[in-house]
Amino acid sequence: DTAVSQTPKYLVTQMGNDKSIKCEQNLGHDTMYWYKQDSKKFLKIMFSYNNKELIINETVPNRFSPKSPDKAHLNLHINSLELGDSAVYFCASSPQPDPAYEQYFGPGTRLTVT
Amino acid sequence: AQSVTQLDSQVPVFEEAPVELRCNYSSSVSVYLFWYVQYPNQGLQLLLKYLSGSTLVKGINGFEAEFNKSQTSFHLRKPSVHISDTAEYFCAVTPQGGYQKVTFGIGTKLQVIP
């Protein structure tokens, strides 16, 4: 009964490839997020969606494109992968976009670009 | 813009000893403050949060934190740690209200020594 799930858990790919990471939450939350955690454990928000609409878009290369087909899913597509994209990507959700609400994190997807 | 400083990257402590993990923040507006914990190979989990009211906040697993507005601090404490508390701890801050992003600190690795 996983609350926030991500697939795949591990992703190893070569530079220049295109890949997608999927995220699903079964908590009935309105808001979902993508975070990137680098090798030094620094966690930075990339995107946030509320009811399928983009509400936070940090300075992220346009090779990264989030897609929210419905409010339970937020996928991340990455074009032309680069070495610097190697990181752990976390999906999260919260009941509403008000930051007072707790964010529930998925287990992460470890992306390795070779 | 807001920022978070976690003053210690690693904190070793013996089992059953007390621990304090330090966090200072900077913001020109009122904020919410959080502590999240990340166990190895897992996503983040909320330990506790300060929104308003009492400056002493109690969380899960016996942790507590004190909001000090004059010192712009939100230090995390536990009177007696267990081996299972070994994890990475993240302090986070966000401005109150609206569609605001949460800014995370770089994390403090708590190493409990048997």
Side-chain angles (χ1 to χ4, degrees), chain B residues 78-92:
Chain B
K78 186 169 182 178
S80 174
V81 296
H82 304 288
I83 293 288
S84 59
D85 293 322
T86 294
E88 195 89 27
Y89 290 79
F90 293 90
C91 184

Side-chain angles (χ1 to χ4, degrees), chain B residues 37-57:
Chain B
V37 60
Q38 184 180 27
Y39 298 105
N41 299 314
Q42 294 186 28
L44 280 72
Q45 179 184 1
L46 183 70
L47 271 180
L48 48 80
K49 61 183 177 182
Y50 172 78
L51 302 182
S52 64
S54 172
T55 57
L56 183 62
V57 179

Side-chain angles (χ1 to χ4, degrees), chain B:
Chain B
Q2 66 279 357
S3 65
V4 178
T5 302
Q6 290 185 245
L7 297 161
D8 306 296
S9 60
Q10 289 191 61
V11 173
V13 63
F14 285 103
E15 195 174 14
E16 298 183 7
V19 70
E20 178 179 84
L21 305 183
R22 297 181 293 167
C23 172
N24 286 88
Y25 70 94
S26 172
S27 178
S28 56
V29 298
S30 296
V31 296
Y32 300 135
L33 292 154
F34 308 83
W35 276 99
Y36 281 83
V37 60
Q38 184 180 27
Y39 298 105
N41 299 314
Q42 294 186 28
L44 280 72
Q45 179 184 1
L46 183 70
L47 271 180
L48 48 80
K49 61 183 177 182
Y50 172 78
L51 302 182
S52 64
S54 172
T55 57
L56 183 62
V57 179
K58 293 191 183 298
I60 62 171
N61 301 340
F63 284 93
E64 64 180 33
E66 184 149 23
F67 171 58
N68 187 319
K69 190 174 182 180
S70 62
Q71 297 187 10
T72 60
S73 67
F74 190 54
H75 300 333
L76 181 71
R77 301 185 185 99
K78 186 169 182 178
S80 174
V81 296
H82 304 288
I83 293 288
S84 59
D85 293 322
T86 294
E88 195 89 27
Y89 290 79
F90 293 90
C91 184
V93 65
T94 183
Q96 292 184 11
Y99 293 174
Q100 304 284 359
K101 67 173 183 176
V102 176
T103 299
F104 287 83
I106 61 169
T108 297
K109 169 80 174 166
L110 175 62
Q111 183 85 34
V112 180
I113 305 162

